[in-house]
Amino acid sequence: MIAMYCDNQDMRQRIEGLLTGVELRSAERPDGFRDLLQGAAVGIAGMERCSDEDVHWLRGSFALGPSGPSCIVVTPLSLTRLQRLRAIESSRLHVVWAEEVNERLGMILDRIDPAHLNPLQHLGRHLVRDYSLHESLAKAIRQIAKLSDEPEFDPPKNSVSELAAYAGVAPDAFRRYWREQLPLRCRPKELLNWALLIWGIRRRSAVSWAKIADAAGVRRRTLERAAVRLAGCTLATAARHPDLVRRRFNEWVATVSLPRMPRVRS
């Protein structure tokens, strides 16, 4: 859940418009925001003024220590505001200037709390963290979910053979590890198809679907079929409503998930 407080109605509406499909709870007053933070993964403070008093309030609300929710401050760019916010600089404090909030808010939120904007990363972290997977399987999951060091704009692998080769194992052995160690009742190709669709949607704001298909090494109609089959909508709808795709993906994960298995050693 994301907690939000804004001292300006226009800024509030602007931020809310960028967070469709996200569990967002807004506070009308500063003290209500502090209460919401107790159950939040991230807090967003939109501050038109960003005065000395506002910065003091931020310090108290977030405690800005090593634990607790991260904070994203959205405020207009100025040297004075920059100097004030530097006084409470922290690894959990992220500043997004209002002039670039459309481009940067999603990127920052995705980095500090990827479960909200990229459910595939959330699933990947869960699998790698909570299960003792064979090293080749863990490497493959990191690639599918974009948890590896590869640039995020690199497309997912097209086939199980490609994925197995990337992981350094024979395809038959890879499928056996997948079947025996993952708590998912699905074939690797199904998750690859989801990865391709989610990756494409995240790239769509920058390039056309034709270029996305070329980069992925598939035809555009392959992406179109994936959108219809997996998310029940066209590519155009998926691009306009990524929250719909996230919801369908989470529903799919729920249907293919197996009961929690004991941790196994590879």
Side-chain angles (χ1 to χ4, degrees):
M1 184 266 287
I2 298 175
M4 185 175 75
Y5 169 74
C6 292
D7 63 9
N8 178 281
Q9 184 63 23
D10 289 341
M11 182 178 289
R12 180 178 188 169
Q13 292 176 350
R14 186 177 176 188
I15 294 174
E16 286 178 341
L18 297 171
L19 298 177
T20 56
V22 171
E23 184 184 359
L24 178 67
R25 298 184 187 178
S26 297
E28 298 293 333
R29 299 174 56 83
D31 53 353
F33 178 66
R34 186 173 297 187
D35 292 339
L36 285 178
L37 284 175
Q38 296 178 12
V42 178
I44 298 178
M47 297 188 298
E48 185 71 26
R49 298 182 303 271
C50 197
S51 63
D52 288 331
E53 292 76 14
D54 290 329
V55 172
H56 178 75
W57 167 76
L58 271 176
R59 186 196 299 272
S61 295
F62 286 90
L64 295 175
S67 61
S70 295
C71 169
I72 300 176
V73 179
V74 180
T75 190
L77 173 62
S78 75
L79 178 59
T80 301
R81 293 186 181 92
L82 175 61
Q83 292 171 335
R84 285 172 180 156
L85 290 168
R86 276 183 175 171
I88 57 172
E89 191 171 1
S90 163
S91 62
R92 293 192 298 108
L93 176 68
H94 308 267
V95 178
V96 175
W97 303 119
E99 292 81 357
E100 56 184 11
V101 66
N102 289 13
E103 295 77 23
R104 295 198 66 236
L105 180 60
M107 294 169 54
I108 298 297
L109 183 58
D110 199 16
R111 187 168 72 231
I112 63 179
D113 191 25
H116 287 291
L117 295 182
N118 191 342
L120 184 58
Q121 287 188 335
H122 181 58
L123 174 64
R125 282 189 171 90
H126 164 63
L127 295 174
V128 172
R129 181 190 63 218
D130 295 342
Y131 291 86
S132 295
L133 306 178
H134 187 275
E135 60 182 14
S136 63
L137 185 56
K139 184 177 181 179
I141 293 297
R142 290 189 183 96
Q143 202 282 332
I144 294 173
K146 297 300 179 184
L147 303 179
S148 65
D149 293 333
E150 294 182 2
E152 188 173 347
F153 54 76
D154 284 357
K157 303 302 179 185
N158 266 335
S159 66
V160 177
S161 296
E162 281 187 30
L163 191 61
Y166 169 85
V169 67
D172 287 347
F174 178 80
R175 290 187 177 90
R176 176 165 56 83
Y177 294 142
W178 183 284
R179 185 174 61 253
E180 294 176 351
Q181 297 182 10
L182 281 188
L184 300 176
R185 191 173 48 246
C186 69
R187 295 176 293 109
K189 184 61 176 175
E190 292 180 76
L191 192 58
L192 282 177
N193 288 337
W194 272 112
L196 176 63
L197 179 60
I198 292 172
W199 172 83
I201 290 170
R202 293 170 61 77
R203 294 275 290 147
R204 179 61 186 89
S205 61
V207 296
S208 68
W209 282 116
K211 290 184 178 179
I212 289 170
D214 286 343
V218 299
R219 296 181 178 181
R220 187 188 186 285
R221 63 184 181 186
T222 299
L223 289 173
E224 188 73 57
R225 286 198 299 265
V228 172
R229 184 176 69 256
L230 299 175
C233 65
T234 64
L235 282 178
T237 299
R240 287 195 306 270
H241 303 287
D243 53 306
L244 170 64
V245 178
R246 290 193 292 270
R247 186 170 68 250
R248 295 283 167 79
F249 175 77
N250 287 331
E251 291 170 353
W252 174 80
V253 171
T255 63
V256 301
S257 293
L258 297 170
R260 179 63 187 265
M261 303 183 299
R263 291 174 69 91
V264 296
R265 293 292 172 186
S266 54

